[in-house]
């Protein structure tokens, strides 16, 4: 089993940057495709960014392209989400997820989830 724990959320002003970390334990995630999802109050949980097992392929939601960067450090068993030029619309709980299946925008495509970290962007 893989346990995922997110770090790095907080309250920032619009335009600021923030880096989220997802630390995995229990098993190496070097063969896992990983994703970051977010869920704002009253809204569905949506995929923000994903990275394949090798790090050679990444996916971004249109709303974050050019502002967010997903990366992984398998030596540290950690996945990152670097967020820049943050907007109030980015306010949400951010979740890390992992899967041995193909990268998917669907929640059902992921087998392992973290507990989430709150990101709040003030205007």
């Amino acid at each position: 089993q893989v346990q995922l724990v997110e770090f790095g959320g907080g309250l920032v002003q619009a335009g600021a940057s923030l880096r989220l970390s997802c630390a995995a334990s229990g098993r190496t995630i070097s063969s896992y495709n990983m994703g970051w999802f977010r869920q704002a109050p009253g809204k569905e949980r949506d995929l923000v960014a994903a990275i394949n097992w090798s790090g050679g392929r990444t996916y971004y939601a249109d709303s974050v392209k050019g502002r967010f960067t997903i990366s992984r450090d398998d030596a540290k068993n950690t996945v990152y989400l670097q967020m820049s030029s943050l907007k109030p619309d980015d306010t949400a709980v951010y979740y890390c997820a992992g899967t041995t299946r193909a990268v998917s925008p669907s929640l059902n495509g992921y087998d392992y989830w973290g507990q989430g970290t709150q990101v709040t962007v003030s205007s």
Side-chain angles (χ1 to χ4, degrees):
Q1 293 292 326
V2 175
Q3 292 80 44
L4 302 173
V5 179
E6 301 94 338
F7 300 94
L11 171 63
V12 297
Q13 291 188 330
S17 297
L18 207 58
R19 188 176 81 158
L20 305 183
S21 300
C22 171
S25 62
R27 185 175 293 183
T28 177
I29 59 171
S30 59
S31 61
Y32 285 67
N33 298 316
M34 303 296 294
W36 282 97
F37 287 75
R38 69 184 181 187
Q39 186 168 20
K43 295 188 176 182
E44 295 183 348
R45 190 177 300 187
D46 293 322
L47 181 66
V48 173
I51 188 167
N52 77 328
W53 65 273
S54 72
R57 290 187 180 180
T58 56
Y59 163 87
Y60 297 95
D62 288 342
S63 58
V64 307
K65 279 181 182 176
R67 300 188 299 122
F68 289 13
T69 302
I70 188 171
S71 62
R72 64 190 301 155
D73 185 341
D74 289 338
K76 296 182 178 180
N77 225 27
T78 300
V79 178
Y80 303 98
L81 185 67
Q82 178 68 48
M83 306 185 293
S84 302
S85 302
L86 283 163
K87 306 174 182 180
D89 284 349
D90 295 319
T91 295
V93 178
Y94 284 71
Y95 298 90
C96 175
T99 182
T100 56
R101 292 172 283 167
V103 171
S104 169
S106 170
L107 301 181
N108 293 331
Y110 294 81
D111 304 306
Y112 304 101
W113 291 86
Q115 83 290 347
T117 185
Q118 176 71 48
V119 172
T120 303
V121 184
S122 63
S123 58

Short mmCIF file of all heavy atoms in Angstrom, two decimals, residues 59-95:
data_model
loop_
_atom_site.label_atom_id
_atom_site.label_comp_id
_atom_site.label_asym_id
_atom_site.label_seq_id
_atom_site.Cartn_x
_atom_site.Cartn_y
_atom_site.Cartn_z
N TYR A 59 0.54 16.57 -17.90
CA TYR A 59 -0.78 17.05 -18.34
C TYR A 59 -1.19 18.19 -17.41
O TYR A 59 -0.95 18.12 -16.21
CB TYR A 59 -1.81 15.93 -18.27
CG TYR A 59 -3.22 16.44 -18.29
CD1 TYR A 59 -3.88 16.67 -19.49
CD2 TYR A 59 -3.89 16.73 -17.10
CE1 TYR A 59 -5.16 17.17 -19.52
CE2 TYR A 59 -5.18 17.24 -17.11
CZ TYR A 59 -5.81 17.46 -18.32
OH TYR A 59 -7.08 17.97 -18.35
N TYR A 60 -1.82 19.21 -18.00
CA TYR A 60 -2.31 20.32 -17.19
C TYR A 60 -3.72 20.70 -17.62
O TYR A 60 -4.04 20.71 -18.81
CB TYR A 60 -1.40 21.54 -17.33
CG TYR A 60 0.00 21.32 -16.84
CD1 TYR A 60 1.02 20.96 -17.70
CD2 TYR A 60 0.29 21.47 -15.48
CE1 TYR A 60 2.30 20.74 -17.23
CE2 TYR A 60 1.58 21.25 -15.01
CZ TYR A 60 2.57 20.88 -15.89
OH TYR A 60 3.85 20.66 -15.42
N ALA A 61 -4.53 21.02 -16.66
CA ALA A 61 -5.83 21.61 -16.97
C ALA A 61 -5.61 22.97 -17.62
O ALA A 61 -4.63 23.67 -17.31
CB ALA A 61 -6.65 21.76 -15.69
N ASP A 62 -6.50 23.35 -18.51
CA ASP A 62 -6.35 24.62 -19.22
C ASP A 62 -6.23 25.80 -18.26
O ASP A 62 -5.52 26.77 -18.52
CB ASP A 62 -7.53 24.84 -20.17
CG ASP A 62 -7.48 23.94 -21.38
OD1 ASP A 62 -6.40 23.39 -21.68
OD2 ASP A 62 -8.54 23.77 -22.04
N SER A 63 -6.94 25.71 -17.16
CA SER A 63 -6.99 26.83 -16.21
C SER A 63 -5.66 27.10 -15.52
O SER A 63 -5.47 28.17 -14.94
CB SER A 63 -8.08 26.58 -15.16
OG SER A 63 -7.81 25.37 -14.48
N VAL A 64 -4.73 26.13 -15.57
CA VAL A 64 -3.46 26.30 -14.86
C VAL A 64 -2.25 26.26 -15.78
O VAL A 64 -1.11 26.45 -15.32
CB VAL A 64 -3.29 25.26 -13.73
CG1 VAL A 64 -4.50 25.29 -12.80
CG2 VAL A 64 -3.05 23.86 -14.29
N LYS A 65 -2.47 26.02 -17.05
CA LYS A 65 -1.35 25.94 -17.99
C LYS A 65 -0.55 27.23 -17.97
O LYS A 65 -1.11 28.32 -18.01
CB LYS A 65 -1.87 25.67 -19.40
CG LYS A 65 -2.19 24.23 -19.69
CD LYS A 65 -2.67 24.04 -21.11
CE LYS A 65 -3.03 22.59 -21.37
NZ LYS A 65 -3.59 22.39 -22.73
N GLY A 66 0.77 27.08 -17.93
CA GLY A 66 1.65 28.23 -17.89
C GLY A 66 1.87 28.80 -16.50
O GLY A 66 2.73 29.65 -16.31
N ARG A 67 1.08 28.35 -15.53
CA ARG A 67 1.23 28.86 -14.16
C ARG A 67 1.67 27.76 -13.19
O ARG A 67 2.37 28.04 -12.22
CB ARG A 67 -0.10 29.45 -13.67
CG ARG A 67 -0.61 30.60 -14.50
CD ARG A 67 -1.81 31.27 -13.84
NE ARG A 67 -2.94 30.36 -13.68
CZ ARG A 67 -3.51 30.09 -12.51
NH1 ARG A 67 -3.04 30.63 -11.40
NH2 ARG A 67 -4.55 29.28 -12.47
N PHE A 68 1.24 26.53 -13.42
CA PHE A 68 1.56 25.43 -12.53
C PHE A 68 2.53 24.47 -13.22
O PHE A 68 2.47 24.27 -14.43
CB PHE A 68 0.30 24.64 -12.17
CG PHE A 68 -0.65 25.36 -11.24
CD1 PHE A 68 -0.54 26.72 -10.97
CD2 PHE A 68 -1.70 24.66 -10.66
CE1 PHE A 68 -1.43 27.37 -10.13
CE2 PHE A 68 -2.60 25.30 -9.81
CZ PHE A 68 -2.46 26.65 -9.56
N THR A 69 3.39 23.86 -12.42
CA THR A 69 4.32 22.86 -12.93
C THR A 69 4.35 21.66 -11.99
O THR A 69 4.58 21.82 -10.79
CB THR A 69 5.74 23.43 -13.05
OG1 THR A 69 5.72 24.58 -13.91
CG2 THR A 69 6.69 22.39 -13.64
N ILE A 70 4.12 20.50 -12.56
CA ILE A 70 4.20 19.27 -11.77
C ILE A 70 5.55 18.62 -12.03
O ILE A 70 6.07 18.64 -13.16
CB ILE A 70 3.04 18.30 -12.12
CG1 ILE A 70 3.03 17.11 -11.16
CG2 ILE A 70 3.10 17.86 -13.57
CD1 ILE A 70 1.78 16.23 -11.32
N SER A 71 6.13 18.06 -10.99
CA SER A 71 7.42 17.39 -11.13
C SER A 71 7.50 16.28 -10.10
O SER A 71 6.67 16.19 -9.19
CB SER A 71 8.57 18.38 -10.96
OG SER A 71 8.56 18.95 -9.66
N ARG A 72 8.50 15.44 -10.25
CA ARG A 72 8.67 14.34 -9.30
C ARG A 72 10.14 14.12 -9.02
O ARG A 72 11.00 14.36 -9.87
CB ARG A 72 8.02 13.07 -9.84
CG ARG A 72 8.62 12.52 -11.11
CD ARG A 72 7.74 11.41 -11.69
NE ARG A 72 7.57 10.32 -10.74
CZ ARG A 72 6.51 9.49 -10.74
NH1 ARG A 72 5.56 9.63 -11.65
NH2 ARG A 72 6.45 8.52 -9.85
N ASP A 73 10.42 13.67 -7.80
CA ASP A 73 11.76 13.30 -7.40
C ASP A 73 11.64 11.91 -6.79
O ASP A 73 11.29 11.76 -5.61
CB ASP A 73 12.31 14.30 -6.38
CG ASP A 73 13.76 14.03 -6.01
OD1 ASP A 73 14.23 12.91 -6.22
OD2 ASP A 73 14.41 14.95 -5.49
N ASP A 74 11.91 10.90 -7.60
CA ASP A 74 11.72 9.53 -7.14
C ASP A 74 12.73 9.15 -6.05
O ASP A 74 12.47 8.27 -5.24
CB ASP A 74 11.81 8.57 -8.31
CG ASP A 74 10.60 8.67 -9.24
OD1 ASP A 74 9.54 9.15 -8.78
OD2 ASP A 74 10.73 8.30 -10.42
N ALA A 75 13.86 9.81 -6.03
CA ALA A 75 14.83 9.55 -4.97
C ALA A 75 14.26 9.94 -3.61
O ALA A 75 14.60 9.35 -2.58
CB ALA A 75 16.12 10.31 -5.24
N LYS A 76 13.39 10.95 -3.62
CA LYS A 76 12.73 11.40 -2.38
C LYS A 76 11.32 10.85 -2.26
O LYS A 76 10.62 11.17 -1.30
CB LYS A 76 12.70 12.92 -2.33
CG LYS A 76 14.09 13.56 -2.26
CD LYS A 76 13.99 15.07 -2.15
CE LYS A 76 15.39 15.67 -2.03
NZ LYS A 76 15.33 17.15 -1.92
N ASN A 77 10.90 10.07 -3.27
CA ASN A 77 9.54 9.51 -3.26
C ASN A 77 8.49 10.62 -3.09
O ASN A 77 7.53 10.47 -2.33
CB ASN A 77 9.38 8.47 -2.15
CG ASN A 77 8.68 7.22 -2.63
OD1 ASN A 77 8.72 6.87 -3.81
ND2 ASN A 77 8.03 6.51 -1.71
N THR A 78 8.69 11.69 -3.82
CA THR A 78 7.88 12.89 -3.65
C THR A 78 7.50 13.48 -5.00
O THR A 78 8.29 13.45 -5.95
CB THR A 78 8.65 13.95 -2.82
OG1 THR A 78 8.97 13.40 -1.54
CG2 THR A 78 7.83 15.21 -2.63
N VAL A 79 6.28 14.00 -5.04
CA VAL A 79 5.78 14.71 -6.21
C VAL A 79 5.49 16.14 -5.79
O VAL A 79 5.03 16.38 -4.67
CB VAL A 79 4.50 14.04 -6.75
CG1 VAL A 79 3.95 14.81 -7.95
CG2 VAL A 79 4.79 12.61 -7.14
N TYR A 80 5.74 17.07 -6.69
CA TYR A 80 5.57 18.48 -6.37
C TYR A 80 4.57 19.15 -7.33
O TYR A 80 4.39 18.71 -8.45
CB TYR A 80 6.90 19.22 -6.49
CG TYR A 80 7.99 18.66 -5.63
CD1 TYR A 80 8.94 17.77 -6.15
CD2 TYR A 80 8.08 19.00 -4.28
CE1 TYR A 80 9.94 17.24 -5.36
CE2 TYR A 80 9.09 18.48 -3.49
CZ TYR A 80 10.01 17.60 -4.03
OH TYR A 80 11.00 17.08 -3.24
N LEU A 81 3.97 20.22 -6.84
CA LEU A 81 3.17 21.09 -7.70
C LEU A 81 3.59 22.51 -7.40
O LEU A 81 3.30 23.05 -6.32
CB LEU A 81 1.67 20.91 -7.45
CG LEU A 81 0.77 21.71 -8.39
CD1 LEU A 81 0.89 21.18 -9.82
CD2 LEU A 81 -0.69 21.67 -7.93
N GLN A 82 4.34 23.10 -8.32
CA GLN A 82 4.75 24.48 -8.19
C GLN A 82 3.67 25.36 -8.79
O GLN A 82 3.33 25.21 -9.96
CB GLN A 82 6.08 24.72 -8.91
CG GLN A 82 6.56 26.15 -8.88
CD GLN A 82 6.97 26.60 -7.49
OE1 GLN A 82 7.71 25.91 -6.79
NE2 GLN A 82 6.48 27.77 -7.07
N MET A 83 3.13 26.26 -7.99
CA MET A 83 2.04 27.11 -8.41
C MET A 83 2.49 28.56 -8.40
O MET A 83 3.01 29.03 -7.38
CB MET A 83 0.83 26.93 -7.49
CG MET A 83 0.39 25.48 -7.36
SD MET A 83 -1.11 25.28 -6.37
CE MET A 83 -0.52 25.78 -4.77
N SER A 84 2.31 29.23 -9.51
CA SER A 84 2.72 30.63 -9.63
C SER A 84 1.54 31.47 -10.10
O SER A 84 0.56 30.93 -10.60
CB SER A 84 3.88 30.76 -10.62
OG SER A 84 4.98 29.97 -10.23
N SER A 85 1.68 32.77 -9.94
CA SER A 85 0.62 33.70 -10.35
C SER A 85 -0.74 33.23 -9.87
O SER A 85 -1.71 33.18 -10.63
CB SER A 85 0.62 33.84 -11.88
OG SER A 85 1.87 34.29 -12.35
N LEU A 86 -0.81 32.90 -8.61
CA LEU A 86 -2.04 32.35 -8.05
C LEU A 86 -3.18 33.35 -8.11
O LEU A 86 -2.99 34.57 -7.96
CB LEU A 86 -1.80 31.89 -6.62
CG LEU A 86 -1.06 30.55 -6.51
CD1 LEU A 86 -0.49 30.37 -5.11
CD2 LEU A 86 -1.99 29.40 -6.86
N LYS A 87 -4.37 32.81 -8.33
CA LYS A 87 -5.59 33.60 -8.43
C LYS A 87 -6.58 33.15 -7.36
O LYS A 87 -6.51 31.99 -6.91
CB LYS A 87 -6.22 33.41 -9.80
CG LYS A 87 -5.31 33.68 -10.98
CD LYS A 87 -6.00 33.32 -12.27
CE LYS A 87 -5.10 33.53 -13.47
NZ LYS A 87 -5.77 33.17 -14.75
N PRO A 88 -7.52 34.00 -6.99
CA PRO A 88 -8.54 33.57 -6.01
C PRO A 88 -9.28 32.31 -6.48
O PRO A 88 -9.68 31.49 -5.64
CB PRO A 88 -9.47 34.78 -5.94
CG PRO A 88 -8.56 35.94 -6.21
CD PRO A 88 -7.60 35.45 -7.25
N ASP A 89 -9.44 32.13 -7.79
CA ASP A 89 -10.11 30.93 -8.30
C ASP A 89 -9.31 29.65 -8.06
O ASP A 89 -9.85 28.56 -8.24
CB ASP A 89 -10.37 31.08 -9.81
CG ASP A 89 -11.53 32.00 -10.11
OD1 ASP A 89 -12.26 32.36 -9.17
OD2 ASP A 89 -11.70 32.38 -11.28
N ASP A 90 -8.06 29.78 -7.69
CA ASP A 90 -7.26 28.60 -7.38
C ASP A 90 -7.52 28.10 -5.96
O ASP A 90 -6.99 27.05 -5.57
CB ASP A 90 -5.76 28.92 -7.53
CG ASP A 90 -5.38 29.23 -8.96
OD1 ASP A 90 -5.88 28.54 -9.87
OD2 ASP A 90 -4.59 30.17 -9.16
N THR A 91 -8.30 28.82 -5.19
CA THR A 91 -8.62 28.42 -3.83
C THR A 91 -9.36 27.10 -3.83
O THR A 91 -10.38 26.94 -4.49
CB THR A 91 -9.48 29.50 -3.14
OG1 THR A 91 -8.70 30.69 -3.02
CG2 THR A 91 -9.93 29.03 -1.77
N ALA A 92 -8.81 26.13 -3.10
CA ALA A 92 -9.38 24.78 -3.07
C ALA A 92 -8.56 23.92 -2.12
O ALA A 92 -7.49 24.33 -1.67
CB ALA A 92 -9.37 24.16 -4.47
N VAL A 93 -9.08 22.74 -1.86
CA VAL A 93 -8.28 21.70 -1.22
C VAL A 93 -7.60 20.93 -2.34
O VAL A 93 -8.25 20.49 -3.29
CB VAL A 93 -9.14 20.76 -0.37
CG1 VAL A 93 -8.26 19.65 0.24
CG2 VAL A 93 -9.85 21.54 0.74
N TYR A 94 -6.29 20.79 -2.22
CA TYR A 94 -5.49 20.11 -3.24
C TYR A 94 -5.13 18.71 -2.75
O TYR A 94 -4.63 18.54 -1.63
CB TYR A 94 -4.24 20.91 -3.55
CG TYR A 94 -4.52 22.12 -4.41
CD1 TYR A 94 -5.20 23.22 -3.90
CD2 TYR A 94 -4.14 22.14 -5.75
CE1 TYR A 94 -5.49 24.32 -4.69
CE2 TYR A 94 -4.42 23.24 -6.55
CZ TYR A 94 -5.10 24.32 -6.02
OH TYR A 94 -5.38 25.41 -6.81
N TYR A 95 -5.38 17.73 -3.61
CA TYR A 95 -5.15 16.33 -3.29
C TYR A 95 -4.12 15.73 -4.24
O TYR A 95 -4.14 15.97 -5.44
CB TYR A 95 -6.43 15.53 -3.42
CG TYR A 95 -7.54 15.94 -2.50
CD1 TYR A 95 -8.47 16.91 -2.87
CD2 TYR A 95 -7.69 15.34 -1.25
CE1 TYR A 95 -9.50 17.28 -2.03
CE2 TYR A 95 -8.72 15.70 -0.40
CZ TYR A 95 -9.61 16.67 -0.80
OH TYR A 95 -10.64 17.03 0.04
#
